[in-house]
């Protein structure tokens, strides 16, 4: 047995005190509660949030902010605020028309756009996402929101059918999609904005109310969004929960107030959440879970293409993606050449700080380097080879883990089965394709696979076998989620539900049918007029100024909390925001405040 492996230590990735980026180091105050649409003071326990980038002034991880550590009781207050806003489906938000909710979300995007620079900077410091990827995360998220709105406007049934009155077997029916209730959203650190909003925005558009569990790592970016939510949405539509998941999640789930979970993360946490609900039969679950995606290199593969796609698949954002290629199985006849090409490409990757446009950056999870070190040590002890050891493979520079290329990986090694979620790149060799089939069949993974080949006859049997084992099969292409219009699904322990522009809307809504007897003339006459008076059946067009929508404003229900200022009435807010944006463009906002207050006073009497 070889000597136990320890990562060689290098000088940490440090930001110099006299650099431009040092001056941009964020100091984000997350010591507040965002509940019921308000920033509320917080005096309890809090933690300092540190960056994986080291501060030259201290020689340690840079302190970039704070996060409140809510108790279980405080977390339940957020759930109660959400339940109040939902009000068994009769709250202001679920009772708005689809067009009004679309307008509010579009205004939310305007507010978030004002924070783009701060959000991108936060992503670089908090989770070491390089500058281009950080900017891409924000922009892709906004593009996703636009795509969801476009999909809804094109067909509010999301291709269910019966968008207009349709006669079937003597019954005329029309279908729309309605909300489920209170959603609990949990997303991981690696795409904190994009993955949370890929669930949150479709859920909100459909009329659901949200509780967002802010991740312990990568959570600061959400604290920058609280003011945008407060400005764009009615009170209680979005509520934050910060702190330990083990302390805050059980009481929320045990309360029974959650109707639907949107979860992206590990299987163990998901299982626990479901079991904690008192009525799991009515809990709707949408989950994107772990992946151990395998890239298969067949004997006829173009090795330049194969090595490049496996490089991208295994090292993009340090391999911290559920869709990463986390194991390569390469045919013996081409393995030496493939490994040499892959090693050359890995060794050429730039390594450094996020704003230096480096391909490899520090790892945000404090315990991750030690975990990766253990995987490498286990593989080496069982006979694997660290191919790029002389090129700093497996070395640790503070929180920056230099990619480790392992060859000769076997089924007995932890790295063959465990999801490393980091820059350890394992290559297993096979001589018979039956070994590949056996690996897929035995795997817990059901997310994706990649096949590198130029031979249709060789690809076909693998595609046929994998069609009932994974959700996506990539040909000469790394595993990935994009484009967002393509279904992102999974089997086994990798998913419960499908993510895409259209599927995300379906996941957080329920079909609701309105029907009448086709031969009943009075009912037909009534039905033909409903779209003009029913908010639920109204077309999802962009409202023309929103003034027409005030004929039937959402009912203001009695509240036990202090009265919300009249500016917070949903319909009034929509009009005021539109006027504010236009007046700001004309530099008239300061002189128009008194006028808007008069307009508001009149509108509230309608």
């Amino acid at each position: 047995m070889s000597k136990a492996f320890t990562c060689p230590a290098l000088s940490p990735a440090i930001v110099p005190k006299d650099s431009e980026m040092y001056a941009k180091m964020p100091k984000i105050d997350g010591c507040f509660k965002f509940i019921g649409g308000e920033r509320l003071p917080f005096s309890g326990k809090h933690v300092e949030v540190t960056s994986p980038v080291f501060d030259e002034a201290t020689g340690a991880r840079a302190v970039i902010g704070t996060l409140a550590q809510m108790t279980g009781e405080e977390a339940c207050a957020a759930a109660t605020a959400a339940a109040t806003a939902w009000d068994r489906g009769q709250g202001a938000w679920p009772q708005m028309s689809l067009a009004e909710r679309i307008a509010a979300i579009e205004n939310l995007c305007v507010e978030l756009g004002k924070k783009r620079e701060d959000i991108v900077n936060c992503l670089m410091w908090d989770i070491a996402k390089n500058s281009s990827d950080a900017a891409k995360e924000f922009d892709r998220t906004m593009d996703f929101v636009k795509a969801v709105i476009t999909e809804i406007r094109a067909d509010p049934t999301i291709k269910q059918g019966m968008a207009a009155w349709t006669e079937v077997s003597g019954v005329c029916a029309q279908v729309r999609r309605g909300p489920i209730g209170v959603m609990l959203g949990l997303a991981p650190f690696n795409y904190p904005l994009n993955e949370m909003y890929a669930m949150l925005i479709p859920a909100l558009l459909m009329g659901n109310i949200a509780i967002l569990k802010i991740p312990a790592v990568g959570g600061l970016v959400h604290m920058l969004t609280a003011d945008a939510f407060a400005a764009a949405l009615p009170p209680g539509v979005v509520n934050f929960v910060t702190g330990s998941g083990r302390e805050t999640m059980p009481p929320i789930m045990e309360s029974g107030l959650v109707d639907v979970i949107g979860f992206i993360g590990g299987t163990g946490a998901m299982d626990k959440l479901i079991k904690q609900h008192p009525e799991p039969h009515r809990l709707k679950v949408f989950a994107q879970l772990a992946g151990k995606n395998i890239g298969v290199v067949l004997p006829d593969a173009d090795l330049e293409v194969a090595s490049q796609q496996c490089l991208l698949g295994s090292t993009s954002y340090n391999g911290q993606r559920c869709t990463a290629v986390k194991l390569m199985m390469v045919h013996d006849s081409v393995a030496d050449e493939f490994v040499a090409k892959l090693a050359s490409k890995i060794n050429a990757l730039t390594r450094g700080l996020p704003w230096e446009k480096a391909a490899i950056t520090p790892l945000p999870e404090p315990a991750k380097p030690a975990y990766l070190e253990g995987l490498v040590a286990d593989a080496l002890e069982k006979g694997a080879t660290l191919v790029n050891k002389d090129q700093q493979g497996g070395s640790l520079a503070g929180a920056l883990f230099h990619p480790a290329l392992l060859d000769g990986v076997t089924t007995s090694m932890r790295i063959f089965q465990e999801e490393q979620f980091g820059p350890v790149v394992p290559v297993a060799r096979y001589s018979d394709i039956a070994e590949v089939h056996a690996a897929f069949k035995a795997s817990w993974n059901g997310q994706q696979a990649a096949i590198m080949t130029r031979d249709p006859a060789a690809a076909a049997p693998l595609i046929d076998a994998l069609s009932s084992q994974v959700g996506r099969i990539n040909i000469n292409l790394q595993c990935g989620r994009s484009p967002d219009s393509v279904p992102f699904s999974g089997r086994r322990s990798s998913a419960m539900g499908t993510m895409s522009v259209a599927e995300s809307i379906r996941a957080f809504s329920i079909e609701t049918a309105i029907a009448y007897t086709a031969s009943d003339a009075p009912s037909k006459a009534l039905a033909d007029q409903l779209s003009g008076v029913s908010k639920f059946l109204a077309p999802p067009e962009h409202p023309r100024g929103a003034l027409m929508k005030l004929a039937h404003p959402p009912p203001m229900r009695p509240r036990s909390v202090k009265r919300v200022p009249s500016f917070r009435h949903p319909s009034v807010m929509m009009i005021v925001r539109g006027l504010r944006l236009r007046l700001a463009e004309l530099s008239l906002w300061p002189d128009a405040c008194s006028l808007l207050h008069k307009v508001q006073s009149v509108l509230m009497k309608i």
Side-chain angles (χ1 to χ4, degrees), residues 379-463:
L380 296 181
E381 288 173 2
K382 294 173 181 175
T385 302
L386 181 55
V387 176
N388 60 339
K389 179 180 179 180
D390 294 337
Q391 289 77 36
Q392 298 184 335
S395 297
L396 189 60
L400 194 154
F401 191 99
H402 291 259
L405 175 58
L406 294 171
D407 190 14
V409 169
T410 65
T411 57
S412 67
M413 300 172 187
R414 290 171 55 200
I415 191 63
F416 194 96
Q417 306 292 344
E418 295 181 27
E419 183 187 25
Q420 63 269 43
F421 217 76
V424 175
V425 185
V427 175
R429 302 184 179 215
Y430 72 93
S431 58
D432 190 323
I433 195 65
E435 298 171 59
V436 174
H437 284 287
F440 277 112
K441 191 174 181 180
S443 177
W444 53 265
N445 173 67
Q447 192 192 86
Q448 296 191 29
I451 304 171
M452 308 296 170
T453 183
R454 290 175 286 193
D455 183 0
L462 268 175
I463 291 174

Side-chain angles (χ1 to χ4, degrees), residues 104-421:
I105 295 301
E106 288 177 328
N107 285 331
L108 172 64
C109 291
V110 171
E111 295 295 326
L112 290 171
K114 299 173 185 177
K115 290 284 189 179
R116 181 183 184 278
E117 184 177 347
D118 291 338
I119 287 172
V120 170
N121 188 52
C122 179
L123 290 171
M124 288 193 291
W125 280 92
D126 197 7
I127 59 173
K129 187 160 283 192
N130 69 34
S131 54
S132 61
D133 284 349
K136 187 187 301 180
E137 174 162 358
F138 182 89
D139 295 339
R140 181 185 176 188
T141 301
M142 295 301 103
D143 288 343
F144 182 87
V145 175
K146 293 174 185 175
V148 170
I149 291 173
T150 299
E151 185 82 18
I152 293 172
R153 283 185 171 143
D155 180 0
T157 75
I158 316 301
K159 300 181 178 65
Q160 167 70 36
M162 300 186 180
W165 292 112
T166 305
E167 183 176 346
V168 181
S169 301
V171 173
C172 265
Q174 187 172 159
V175 172
R176 290 292 185 270
R177 303 194 71 89
I180 299 168
V182 174
M183 165 200 159
L184 175 61
L186 303 96
F189 77 85
N190 57 332
Y191 290 89
L193 198 70
N194 184 262
E195 296 200 328
M196 183 70 90
Y197 281 41
M199 300 181 292
L200 172 66
I201 298 301
L204 292 179
L205 284 166
M206 288 293 98
N208 298 285
I209 305 298
I211 308 163
L212 303 187
K213 171 60 180 74
I214 307 303
V217 176
L220 281 182
V221 67
H222 291 290
M223 310 315 288
L224 296 173
T225 68
D227 291 339
F229 284 118
L233 304 180
V237 173
V238 173
N239 306 273
F240 291 177
V241 172
T242 57
S244 165
R246 289 185 175 89
E247 182 169 354
T248 58
M249 291 299 97
I252 288 180
M253 292 304 296
E254 290 165 3
S255 72
L257 295 175
V258 174
D259 301 297
V260 55
I261 288 184
F263 181 92
I264 301 177
T267 56
M270 181 73 264
D271 289 342
K272 288 178 182 177
L273 289 170
I274 294 172
K275 292 175 182 177
Q276 288 163 355
H277 198 284
E279 298 175 304
H281 65 273
R282 69 171 177 82
L283 178 68
K284 188 168 182 180
V285 177
F286 173 86
Q288 296 296 326
L289 304 168
K292 184 70 175 181
N293 299 329
I294 301 176
V296 181
V297 181
L298 297 176
D300 68 292
D302 181 326
L303 296 184
E304 184 60 32
V305 171
S307 60
Q308 180 62 25
Q309 290 301 313
C310 287
L311 173 81
L312 294 172
S314 60
T315 64
S316 294
Y317 188 38
N318 307 316
Q320 297 169 124
R321 300 178 299 126
C322 66
T323 57
V325 176
K326 300 191 176 85
L327 175 67
M328 279 139 272
M329 298 191 72
V330 186
H331 193 269
D332 278 334
S333 64
V334 295
D336 287 345
E337 185 179 356
F338 173 85
V339 169
K341 286 180 176 290
L342 184 58
S344 176
K345 295 178 188 300
I346 288 175
N347 295 335
L349 292 173
T350 55
R351 306 157 198 202
L353 299 175
W355 40 88
E356 295 171 345
K357 298 183 179 180
I360 302 298
T361 58
L363 303 176
E365 294 178 287
K368 181 53 67 73
Y371 173 71
L372 297 179
E373 180 183 66
L375 292 178
V376 174
D378 174 77
L380 296 181
E381 288 173 2
K382 294 173 181 175
T385 302
L386 181 55
V387 176
N388 60 339
K389 179 180 179 180
D390 294 337
Q391 289 77 36
Q392 298 184 335
S395 297
L396 189 60
L400 194 154
F401 191 99
H402 291 259
L405 175 58
L406 294 171
D407 190 14
V409 169
T410 65
T411 57
S412 67
M413 300 172 187
R414 290 171 55 200
I415 191 63
F416 194 96
Q417 306 292 344
E418 295 181 27
E419 183 187 25
Q420 63 269 43
F421 217 76

